[in-house]
Amino acid sequence: MSEIRAISDESLAQAVEIVRDGGLIVIPTDTVYGVACDPRNIEAIRKVFAAKQRPKYKSLQVLLPSIESLEKLHLDLPVPLNRLSAMFMPGAFSPIAVAGDNCTLATVRTDPATGKATQGVRIPNSAAALRVLRTTGPLAATSANRSGDESAQTVDEAVQAFGDAVDLYLDGGATPGHVASTVVAADPHGRDGIAILREGVIREPVIRKALTLNGGALGV
């Protein structure tokens, strides 16, 4: 049976055990609730896809407690995403990082156009989410809803979506809204050197404007 618990030292210790053992947890973020697991455990990742009924071609993000986690995971943000990240992280900004040869994340995907191994990442601008992530470490995550349904804004909505498929629901209160983060990839052939793969909380004009601050395009 799954449990719903407020975020506390005790529930976080329980979350660590669940993640370590390949289970699923639901956590609040600064956008919506997310269902999460160990990003190095392929069986746990399969559980996320099954619970969400998510198409296999769609990837999972990795939520990070800090920008320093990128280096520890052997991930790198290419130009101009490194500069954009300095402006929008933590927050509802999800850049696509490039994975190094030593990266052990099971969530990494290979870009068919470039052949590079890539991974979407995010640092939530949420005290509750960061408290969880500092305890569990980075988590593979996606919005807490069945594919095609509206993302959960409360823990009760997440429970309605997943029931006992999730081991622990961490209740951090209502999140700001149903809109997810903005996903951006580096693209040397795209406008301004980027491709916006999903427009979310941070609108495209805001991203584009940021690229021309300080007198020129970022990364030039």
Side-chain angles (χ1 to χ4, degrees), residues 1-6 8-21 24-25 135-136 167-170:
M1 292 289 291
S2 60
E3 291 186 67
I4 304 170
R5 300 188 64 182
S8 66
D9 290 345
E10 292 76 15
S11 64
L12 289 176
Q14 182 181 358
V16 168
E17 290 184 9
I18 289 169
V19 170
R20 182 191 61 206
D21 293 341
L24 307 186
I25 63 174
T135 305
T136 63
D167 301 287
L168 176 65
Y169 294 84
L170 292 173

Side-chain angles (χ1 to χ4, degrees), residues 43-127:
E43 293 303 323
I45 291 165
R46 286 173 179 154
K47 289 180 185 178
V48 171
F49 277 89
K52 191 177 168 76
Q53 298 176 3
R54 185 176 178 84
K56 296 296 174 59
Y57 65 85
K58 291 189 175 181
S59 57
L60 300 183
Q61 289 186 351
V62 171
L63 300 182
L64 309 174
S66 68
I67 196 72
E68 289 75 23
S69 301
L70 284 167
E71 184 176 354
K72 294 177 182 178
L73 295 173
H74 302 284
L75 298 173
D76 180 62
L77 291 175
V79 174
L81 299 185
N82 54 348
R83 298 283 301 279
L84 285 174
S85 295
M87 300 183 70
F88 295 115
M89 294 176 83
F93 178 71
S94 299
I96 304 298
V98 176
D101 293 338
N102 295 329
C103 181
T104 58
L105 298 174
T107 47
V108 167
R109 296 292 181 94
T110 300
D111 185 335
T114 65
K116 292 182 178 179
T118 61
Q119 176 62 61
V121 297
R122 191 160 93 80
I123 305 172
N125 188 18
S126 159

